[in-house]
Amino acid sequence: AQTVTQSQPEMSVQEAETVTLSCTYDTSENNYYLFWYKQPPSRQMILVIRQEAYKQQNATENRFSVNFQKAAKSFSLKISDSQLGDTAMYFCAFMEGNNDMRFGAGTRLTVKP
Amino acid sequence: DAMVIQNPRYQVTQFGKPVTLSCSQTLNHNVMYWYQQKSSQAPKLLFHYYDKDFNNEADTPDNFQSRRPNTSFCFLDIRSPGLGDAAMYLCATSRGGWVAGELFFGEGSRLTVL
C-alpha cells in the first residue's frame, strides 16, 4: 500500500516570508498524481496544487510551487510571500489510477503577523 | 454555491444508536468518497464508489456501510457507533478515471458519540 509521510507536524512562518512543507511517499507505481490540500480551521478542504508524476516540470500556482523529486519520492510545497490566510492544515496526498486518494498526517502551518 | 453538501453538519448520537450521514453533489462526478478524520490526523479512506461500483478499504470496520442510490447521493451508515467512531466524516467527489482530478470536499459531518 502506498504511504504518504509528512514529517513536520507544525510549522510557523512570519507574514511575507517563505516556508517549505515536506512530503515523502512510497509507491512501486510509475504513473500517479500528487496533491497538496489545504484545510483552514473549521472549513472544507481545498486543493492547493497538483503534480502529475510523468511531468518533470514542477507545478506552480501563484505563490505556491512544488519541488517534485521522483527518484527520491519527495514532493515539497513552497509558499512564497506567506499571508495570514495561509494559516491551515496542509495535507500531502497521493493518487493512482484506482482513484484511491491517500493523505499524509498533515502539517499545521501558522502564519504570524 | 456549495457543490458537495453534507448533512447534518453536527450529529450527536448515543453509544450503539445507528446513524446515517448523507452527501449530495451537483458536479455529476463519477466517484464519491467517504473519509474519517479524527482530530489532528490524516483523513482515512473508508470506501469509495466509482459510479455504482463499491470499493471497500480492507481495514474499514463492518460497522460502517455505504449506499449510493444515484449519481448525486451517497450515504454513510454507522450501525452501532462506538466511542472510537467519534470523528469528522468527510465526503468528497472526483471525476475519476485516469484524468485524475482534484477531490471536491464537503464541509464534513462531525459525529459525537455519548
Side-chain angles (χ1 to χ4, degrees):
Chain A
Q2 302 83 17
T3 58
V4 181
T5 303
Q6 292 179 249
S7 59
Q8 305 152 314
E10 294 190 22
M11 294 190 72
S12 64
V13 63
Q14 290 296 131
E15 194 175 8
E17 293 188 349
T18 295
V19 63
T20 298
L21 309 183
S22 301
C23 174
T24 59
Y25 59 94
D26 184 31
T27 182
S28 58
E29 300 296 325
N30 195 45
N31 294 323
Y32 50 88
Y33 299 82
L34 294 162
F35 306 83
W36 278 97
Y37 279 85
K38 170 185 178 182
Q39 189 176 38
S42 301
R43 296 184 63 185
Q44 67 204 97
M45 198 175 310
I46 57 173
L47 179 70
V48 174
I49 198 164
R50 167 177 52 212
Q51 174 81 42
E52 291 88 345
Y54 63 85
K55 290 186 177 179
Q56 292 185 339
Q57 186 173 7
N58 289 325
T60 299
E61 289 285 344
N62 300 315
R63 298 183 295 107
F64 299 88
S65 61
V66 298
N67 183 5
F68 174 47
Q69 302 289 328
K70 191 172 184 179
K73 297 180 181 175
S74 170
F75 183 62
S76 61
L77 173 69
K78 185 172 81 171
I79 306 174
S80 304
D81 187 25
S82 298
Q83 301 176 358
L84 297 179
D86 295 334
T87 293
M89 281 289 289
Y90 286 82
F91 292 98
C92 178
F94 171 100
M95 177 186 270
E96 293 182 322
N98 62 1
N99 298 298
D100 281 0
M101 178 82 80
R102 307 284 175 166
F103 290 85
T107 296
R108 186 178 301 280
L109 177 67
T110 301
V111 180
K112 298 180 178 179
Chain B
D1 289 339
M3 295 177 287
V4 181
I5 302 168
Q6 292 188 240
N7 282 300
R9 293 287 313 280
Y10 302 91
Q11 176 73 58
V12 179
T13 191
Q14 291 181 331
F15 184 95
K17 187 174 181 180
V19 161
T20 294
L21 307 177
S22 75
C23 178
S24 64
Q25 55 133 339
T26 60
L27 298 163
N28 203 33
H29 281 171
N30 294 318
V31 191
M32 294 188 77
Y33 304 80
W34 280 105
Y35 286 88
Q36 179 192 64
Q37 186 180 23
K38 296 187 177 180
S39 181
S40 301
Q41 295 183 21
K44 178 182 180 300
L45 182 63
L46 295 174
F47 20 61
H48 75 273
Y49 279 92
Y50 194 120
D51 293 329
K52 292 185 178 181
D53 292 334
F54 178 68
N55 297 272
N56 193 34
E57 292 299 297
D59 58 354
T60 297
D62 292 339
N63 196 27
F64 292 85
Q65 303 286 320
S66 185
R67 297 170 283 137
R68 189 179 185 185
N70 54 53
T71 299
S72 300
F73 283 87
C74 196
F75 299 95
L76 171 63
D77 301 308
I78 308 175
R79 293 191 295 186
S80 181
L83 297 179
D85 298 327
M88 178 73 84
Y89 290 88
L90 302 174
C91 175
T93 74
S94 76
R95 284 186 294 160
W98 273 106
V99 187
E102 65 184 282
L103 263 58
F104 291 80
F105 284 85
E107 292 184 301
S109 293
R110 182 169 297 282
L111 176 67
T112 300
V113 182
L114 301 177

